[in-house]
Amino acid sequence: MRFFIRLTAAGIFVLSLWLVGCRSAPTRLTLFVSGNSIGYLEPCGCRTDQSGGLPGRARVISGDRASMVVLDVGNLTAGTKPYDLLKLKYLMQGMKSIGYDAVNLGKHEAELDLPTLQGVVGSSDLPFVSANVVAKATGKCVAEPYRIIVRGSAKIGVVGVAGCEPTDVGPGLTVRPAIEALSELVPQLRTKCDYLVVLAFVDDEHIREIADKLHEVDCILGGDVAQPSGAVQVMNRAAVFNMAEKGKIVGKIELQRDGSTYAVASSAAIRIAADKVQPPPAIADLLVHYKSELRNRRFELASAEGMERIEGSSSTADEFVGAAACLKCHAGAHKTWVDSTHSHAFETLKAKGSEFDPECLKCHTVGYGLAGGFADAATTPNLEGVGCENCHGRGKEHMATQTKRTLKPVTPSTCISCHDTENSENFHYATFWPKIKH
């Protein structure tokens, strides 16, 4: 196989591949790629300019199915807790509805234990691939090592690999070095397909290694990187495009066939705009079922969280008491709180149907996921909203001793544990603190 790089009359940079013995194929192929979703189903709405989510992704990935291929580089789940696995379940259903052709097992999938991962792969209709995530006892791949996707008479080979530290791999699993697994597989797979794609949830160094050592590879779609690509980059002879940012970016790569040549005619990173996106009916129904299951499993999920998201919640006090208990001694501060948006934080969740979502409850209630913290509106209504104890810690001992030593002072870091760049638009402590100063 030979290759050349040329500049078209329009000034468009293309990577051209002479395919030896190629078969007739569609004139144009479109590759859509996503990745690193980590359970992100939809924007929470805390910011007006949020992006990503299944509704927007389903709108972006569209076109003639006869000439498009939809791929994901992996890292679907955010972790191993029941809440993470619940989001994974609905993310996979959404991706099935969108019509993915191959989905790689990423680093977070490799952190699950073997039975859980086997259940994920076996219970889903998603076409998972992985050439190097294997059962430790047998050495067998947990998913198909590769898939060949047929479009017309064209055959697109897709193989998946992940990079993972041995200490991070889940019980019963092992992850072979990506280059080792690919070196065994790629030469034979090259003979079976017209275009060869590697879904590589590995870091930049290992993406470069794949490009340098495996000349048979036409395209590398990476995932374990700091920033997503804006356009295709050429490494050796491979077209490289990287994904990141909770699946908020969808990559679109147009392949143009010119005689016996495939060329990367254009590429783009499409940021999924979430504002006013109407989800397709199947995605809308899926999100309704997800929120219903959150409601039905709220106590189980709360007990499994065990998070100390807000730094100030760690204190020597042993119980939460709610903001109303502070009124007697701190009437002025209590009035400031009542007049602030903090006191209505739980109401914003109810308006969006997110009042049972653990990820939202951590910053819209007092002590969610902690002993004695918010459970639900019926059981612990006094802990709705962002109250005194979100920042100062549990208050019972303070009420008993009347000393400040039992409480933590508020600092800018206290605020940014919730007012982070993901969820709080243009937050500046010096500007926002005066609004609730007490």
Side-chain angles (χ1 to χ4, degrees):
M1 180 179 291
R2 293 178 296 137
F3 73 97
F4 66 90
I5 296 174
R6 61 188 174 89
L7 191 67
T8 68
I12 301 173
F13 175 83
V14 295
L15 173 69
S16 301
L17 307 172
W18 285 108
L19 301 178
V20 178
C22 63
R23 309 163 183 84
S24 60
T27 302
R28 199 172 184 90
L29 279 174
T30 301
L31 304 183
F32 284 106
V33 56
S34 59
N36 207 33
S37 298
I38 52 177
Y40 192 70
L41 299 177
E42 63 174 342
C44 67
C46 285
R47 290 183 59 145
T48 58
D49 59 349
Q50 287 180 317
S51 58
L54 287 174
R57 193 189 300 189
R59 294 299 186 191
V60 168
I61 299 175
S62 61
D64 181 9
R65 288 282 168 173
S67 59
M68 61 184 279
V69 177
V70 186
L71 307 170
D72 190 275
V73 301
N75 244 31
L76 276 66
T77 185
T80 62
K81 293 181 179 180
Y83 175 55
D84 300 323
L85 298 179
L86 178 63
K87 290 194 292 182
L88 172 61
K89 168 185 166 182
Y90 283 95
L91 179 64
M92 291 192 300
Q93 290 180 16
M95 292 172 67
K96 173 62 178 176
S97 176
I98 291 171
Y100 277 76
D101 296 294
V103 178
N104 187 35
L105 296 179
K107 180 185 294 185
H108 285 179
E109 285 75 65
E111 293 172 356
L112 301 173
D113 60 74
L114 175 60
T116 299
L117 184 56
Q118 287 175 326
V120 166
V121 173
S123 65
S124 171
D125 291 328
L126 279 181
F128 282 106
V129 293
S130 180
N132 71 330
V133 178
V134 302
K136 191 171 185 178
T138 65
K140 293 183 178 180
C141 293
V142 178
E144 295 292 332
Y146 68 88
R147 293 181 182 270
I148 295 179
I149 300 161
V150 178
R151 292 293 181 266
S153 57
K155 294 182 179 179
I156 301 93
V158 181
V159 58
V161 289
C164 201
E165 293 296 327
T167 54
D168 296 332
V169 178
L173 292 169
T174 190
V175 177
R176 298 177 62 200
I179 193 66
E180 176 184 291
L182 289 172
S183 296
E184 294 175 0
L185 191 60
V186 162
Q188 59 173 304
L189 181 57
R190 174 74 263 183
T191 65
K192 301 177 181 179
C193 61
D194 302 306
Y195 196 77
L196 181 54
V197 179
V198 176
L199 302 177
F201 200 89
V202 297
D203 60 24
D204 291 309
E205 179 183 349
H206 289 92
I207 290 172
R208 169 65 69 179
E209 182 181 28
I210 295 169
D212 287 346
K213 294 184 178 180
L214 298 174
H215 297 182
E216 302 93 338
V217 174
D218 298 313
C219 183
I220 303 171
L221 302 176
D224 194 8
V225 295
Q227 297 291 333
S229 297
V232 159
Q233 176 187 2
V234 179
M235 289 187 184
N236 196 4
R237 62 170 301 280
V240 177
F241 197 98
N242 295 325
M243 306 306 302
E245 287 195 60
K246 288 185 166 182
K248 296 178 181 181
I249 300 290
V250 170
K252 184 178 182 180
I253 304 172
E254 297 281 359
L255 302 176
Q256 182 71 42
R257 186 169 178 79
D258 182 12
S260 59
T261 304
Y262 267 125
V264 177
S266 65
S267 61
I270 303 171
R271 180 168 290 277
I272 301 172
D275 291 349
K276 301 177 182 178
V277 172
Q278 294 298 318
I283 300 296
D285 289 344
L286 180 149
L287 293 173
V288 169
H289 287 299
Y290 165 68
K291 291 179 179 179
S292 177
E293 188 162 354
L294 284 177
R295 181 189 306 110
N296 295 335
R297 296 178 59 187
R298 60 189 181 276
F299 297 116
E300 170 204 348
L301 297 176
S303 65
E305 280 301 292
M307 295 182 178
E308 199 77 31
R309 169 72 182 267
I310 302 171
E311 188 69 22
S313 293
S314 296
S315 80
T316 57
D318 59 354
E319 289 183 24
F320 292 105
V321 295
C326 307
L327 174 59
K328 181 179 178 181
C329 297
H330 303 282
H334 187 271
K335 184 179 186 306
T336 299
W337 171 76
V338 169
D339 293 339
S340 74
T341 54
H342 280 169
S343 66
H344 306 291
F346 187 72
E347 296 302 315
T348 64
L349 296 187
K350 292 172 67 175
K352 299 168 187 173
S354 300
E355 69 269 31
F356 299 103
D357 194 319
E359 195 162 30
C360 301
L361 290 170
K362 286 180 291 183
C363 285
H364 285 253
T365 64
V366 177
Y368 176 79
L370 305 177
F374 179 86
D376 67 3
T379 309
T380 52
N382 62 315
L383 300 180
E384 293 179 6
V386 177
C388 310
E389 293 160 296
N390 284 87
C391 305
H392 296 293
R394 295 174 176 87
K396 185 176 181 180
E397 185 176 344
H398 173 69
M399 292 179 64
T401 63
Q402 300 291 301
T403 59
K404 288 185 177 181
R405 67 175 177 80
T406 58
L407 301 179
K408 286 195 172 183
V410 176
T411 67
S413 62
T414 307
C415 303
I416 61 175
S417 59
C418 282
H419 288 280
D420 54 18
T421 55
E422 176 75 20
N423 298 296
S424 191
E425 194 169 2
N426 300 318
F427 177 79
H428 300 287
Y429 179 81
T431 303
F432 278 63
W433 166 242
K435 298 178 181 180
I436 60 165
K437 187 175 181 179
H438 54 276

